[in-house]
Amino acid sequence: MALKLVIQIPCYNEAASLAATVTAIPCKIEGVDSVEILVVDDGSTDGTADVARSLNVNHVVSHRRNRGLAAAFQTGIDASLRAGADIIVNTDADNQYDASNIELLIGPILRGEADIVIGDRQVRTNHHFSPGKQALQRIGTRVVRHLAGIDVPDAVSGFRAISRDAAMQINIVSRFSYTTEMLILAGKRRLAVASVPIRTNAPMRRSRLFKSIPHFIFNTGVTIVRSYALYNPLNAFLLIGGVIFFIGSLPIFRFLWLSLVGDNRGHIQSLVLGGVLIIVGFITLLFAIVADLIGRNRQMLEMTLFKLRKIEERMDRVE
């Protein structure tokens, strides 16, 4: 059976850099029978979609308005699956990643070793990254690796390859970026994730994903917390409830200790405060159970969606 590789490029006002990105992509890659390029125009106002068509890319999908990188990535995944992709490679439109490394990137999938492969930009030694950005990338990667339970050296790299079966299980709901949520989801789904070192090109422009370092830290932090709570609600709410319960127990222990040593004058405030916090902690622990049940229901819905996609795939092949 012919093996198709679809390379998706999410774009937002990338008319100036798209040509360099597309022309750098090799037409033939060892291990696959056909290579197609899909451009996702995320509501651009500079004619990005027209540039993509002039470059004769195979597919162009457009959003009527800008919906963000994560939504553009998910649109690309869905469109690539409809196009019959056996392997999907995601790359940036600013030509950050060396397209000659695509063959290296898809290697573990072709060999049956991985479902998802992340391109490691080797941040620690990459001279295209400032010291501050290197530090932020390393810290973010450690956090995501711990939460996802996946050992990858560059968790926020957007240069990644995805097998068809893995792509069918990806449903990104974050608005900021897909990179961290996708890894947390992969860890929850027990997908095999590998990493390969890749080269990067000199930046053609400043990143449009974030306006400043504090903006990036805040949005990335919110995305990580939300994704972890979404895919691991029991652990998230147990942690929150446990912390509140522990804090509430401290003033109660203080009240009891003072009572034991004979200091019975007042201190009722400690008892009230501790009681309130323990009640809040207990309610949060109940939320953990409810959230876990909702999470289980979400998993069953996603399993149903995955099976529906497989059935549609078989029907398309029969036709």
Side-chain angles (χ1 to χ4, degrees):
M1 184 180 67
L3 199 65
K4 180 186 288 189
L5 168 66
V6 174
I7 301 169
Q8 68 172 45
I9 311 173
C11 300
Y12 177 60
N13 290 339
E14 299 287 3
S17 60
L18 185 59
T21 302
V22 171
T23 55
I25 296 174
C27 298
K28 295 183 179 180
I29 298 176
E30 187 175 351
V32 297
D33 299 288
S34 63
V35 179
E36 295 184 359
I37 300 175
L38 183 148
V39 170
V40 182
D41 173 25
D42 187 26
S44 299
T45 58
D46 66 344
T48 293
D50 294 330
V51 172
R53 294 186 184 95
S54 71
L55 294 169
N56 296 318
V57 301
N58 304 91
H59 312 276
V60 178
V61 181
S62 297
H63 291 164
R64 291 188 179 89
R65 59 172 296 183
N66 179 249
R67 292 168 54 189
L69 178 59
F73 172 82
Q74 185 63 56
T75 295
I77 290 293
D78 295 337
S80 296
L81 290 172
R82 289 195 300 270
D86 297 292
I87 302 175
I88 301 170
V89 166
N90 183 83
T91 189
D92 286 354
D94 60 359
N95 201 34
Q96 175 187 169
Y97 304 110
D98 189 337
S100 65
N101 288 159
I102 292 176
E103 182 177 333
L104 179 66
L105 191 70
I106 66 175
I109 294 178
L110 291 174
R111 295 191 295 270
E113 299 170 357
D115 302 302
I116 298 171
V117 185
I118 311 296
D120 174 17
R121 295 168 293 179
Q122 304 171 80
V123 174
R124 189 181 296 273
T125 58
N126 194 321
H127 63 277
H128 294 144
F129 289 77
S130 66
K133 190 173 182 179
Q134 289 178 357
L136 285 174
Q137 297 284 13
R138 291 199 299 270
I139 293 171
T141 293
R142 289 194 190 100
V143 173
V144 175
R145 282 163 55 181
H146 176 72
L147 295 179
I150 296 175
D151 187 15
V152 292
D154 189 3
V156 295
S157 170
F159 195 45
R160 46 189 66 188
I162 312 159
S163 70
R164 183 175 182 83
D165 277 358
M168 287 183 178
Q169 300 179 61
I170 293 176
N171 296 286
I172 302 297
V173 297
S174 169
R175 293 183 179 181
F176 180 64
S177 177
Y178 59 89
T179 53
T180 53
E181 180 180 346
M182 181 176 164
L183 281 179
I184 293 174
L185 184 151
K188 185 67 175 179
R189 298 288 179 272
R190 302 290 182 179
L191 297 174
V193 180
S195 180
V196 296
I198 53 103
R199 296 184 298 274
T200 60
N201 300 314
M204 300 178 67
R205 57 161 176 78
R206 293 184 62 182
S207 174
R208 294 197 184 108
L209 184 59
F210 56 93
K211 300 175 182 178
S212 62
I213 295 299
H215 177 262
F216 173 77
I217 294 174
F218 175 77
N219 282 281
T220 300
V222 168
T223 299
I224 290 173
V225 171
R226 182 180 293 160
S227 299
Y228 185 75
L230 179 65
Y231 297 109
N232 299 277
L234 182 63
N235 293 345
F237 281 96
L238 279 177
L239 176 62
I240 296 171
V243 170
I244 296 174
F245 199 93
F246 174 74
I247 294 174
S249 66
L250 296 180
I252 291 179
F253 283 135
R254 175 178 180 271
F255 176 83
L256 294 175
W257 171 255
L258 292 175
S259 297
L260 288 174
V261 297
D263 187 359
N264 295 317
R265 295 172 298 174
H267 307 298
I268 192 68
Q269 298 93 338
S270 296
L271 187 63
V272 173
L273 176 62
V276 170
L277 288 175
I278 284 180
I279 291 172
V280 172
F282 181 74
I283 292 173
T284 305
L285 295 176
L286 293 179
F287 282 160
I289 298 174
V290 175
D292 185 59
L293 293 175
I294 294 174
R296 297 290 180 180
N297 185 58
R298 173 187 168 87
Q299 289 180 25
M300 288 188 288
L301 290 174
E302 290 182 339
M303 289 172 60
T304 302
L305 178 60
F306 175 68
K307 291 178 180 178
L308 284 174
R309 284 174 169 171
K310 297 292 286 185
I311 292 171
E312 289 176 353
E313 179 182 34
R314 294 192 191 99
M315 291 178 66
D316 290 340
R317 288 178 178 176
V318 171
E319 293 176 358

